[in-house]
Amino acid sequence: MNKRLNFSDAPAGVEALLLEYRARKKIYDTDKITFAGVGGNDVYNISRPFPSNGKTYIAGRVEPRDSEIGKVLFFARERGNLYTLVPDTEIDMLQDPCVTVLADGSAVIGGTKIFMNDSGGISSWATAFYKGDGIFGLREFARAPMHMKDVRFVPFNDGTAVFTRPQGGRFGYGKIGFLTLASPEQITPEALTAAEVFDCHFR
């Protein structure tokens, strides 16, 4: 299903994009979200709110202030902007969660999975995706190549559109790649490595 995309317009510079954004930006609403049940740990880099089994949830990266070794936890909306920790839903060694809601209403959870060395430091990382019964019983079913963060996918026509994020070597600080697959289950390191890379995003 992989299809090549052609772009004829030269990419705009950051300065032009920033001026355009400032000219048309609009703040619709601001508020503070409260996460209950995590003690003194930080909750940040959260997902968007998403529905599952009749409730609204947010996934958040949770860890002590002095460490980046944490986990993803799930919080259920109680009222307003108060979200309470849901027990027995943690995904260890995962950072920066994201959520994709599929056409059938089921949710796929993604994030940056970290791998540790013998000294207790982070030796590698890769985007990983999880499925289960809503937010319960989540199991990894797909993973990106090592050192590739920020992979995202969305339902697209009769398949799945996947955006990759190769970094290092000829990709420098990072590029964006694109491919289409029949389903999220076809996301593999090999498939993502072969994705077409855009050279036309902003400089």
Side-chain angles (χ1 to χ4, degrees), residues 136-188:
F136 298 95
L138 292 166
R139 295 289 183 270
E140 181 182 332
F141 73 93
R143 189 185 297 176
M146 287 297 181
H147 295 160
M148 187 182 287
K149 296 183 178 183
D150 305 327
V151 175
R152 299 292 185 267
F153 73 87
V154 293
F156 178 70
N157 293 339
D158 58 347
T160 301
V162 185
F163 295 87
T164 70
R165 185 70 169 143
Q167 292 179 285
R170 68 186 180 90
F171 304 117
Y173 289 116
K175 293 288 187 180
I176 298 172
F178 178 82
L179 74 158
T180 56
L181 300 170
S183 70
E185 284 76 13
Q186 291 188 350
I187 293 174
T188 64

Side-chain angles (χ1 to χ4, degrees), residues 36-147:
V38 294
N41 290 326
D42 291 332
V43 182
Y44 67 109
N45 286 7
I46 60 174
S47 74
R48 66 181 178 93
F50 65 97
S52 181
N53 295 330
K55 292 187 176 182
T56 299
Y57 297 96
I58 286 177
R61 175 175 171 174
V62 181
E63 60 197 28
R65 178 62 58 91
D66 60 353
S67 173
E68 61 174 331
I69 312 302
K71 61 189 70 175
V72 166
L73 297 175
F74 294 85
F75 302 84
R77 184 181 182 186
E78 297 294 335
R79 61 184 181 277
N81 283 330
L82 172 63
Y83 285 77
T84 301
L85 177 65
V86 181
D88 303 320
T89 59
E90 66 185 54
I91 308 177
D92 283 324
M93 299 298 175
L94 196 70
Q95 301 174 339
D96 308 336
C98 60
V99 176
T100 299
V101 178
L102 303 179
D104 63 3
S106 61
V108 174
I109 311 302
T112 301
K113 185 171 185 173
I114 56 175
F115 301 87
M116 311 299 294
N117 58 32
D118 294 338
S119 301
I122 297 175
S123 60
S124 192
W125 55 87
T127 306
F129 294 102
Y130 300 76
K131 290 193 302 185
D133 179 14
I135 64 171
F136 298 95
L138 292 166
R139 295 289 183 270
E140 181 182 332
F141 73 93
R143 189 185 297 176
M146 287 297 181
H147 295 160

Side-chain angles (χ1 to χ4, degrees), residues 16-37:
L17 291 171
L18 187 58
L19 288 174
E20 179 185 348
Y21 166 75
R22 286 175 172 167
R24 61 179 172 81
K25 74 172 182 177
K26 180 179 180 181
I27 299 174
Y28 292 90
D29 192 17
T30 61
D31 208 342
K32 181 179 181 180
I33 300 174
T34 299
F35 294 99

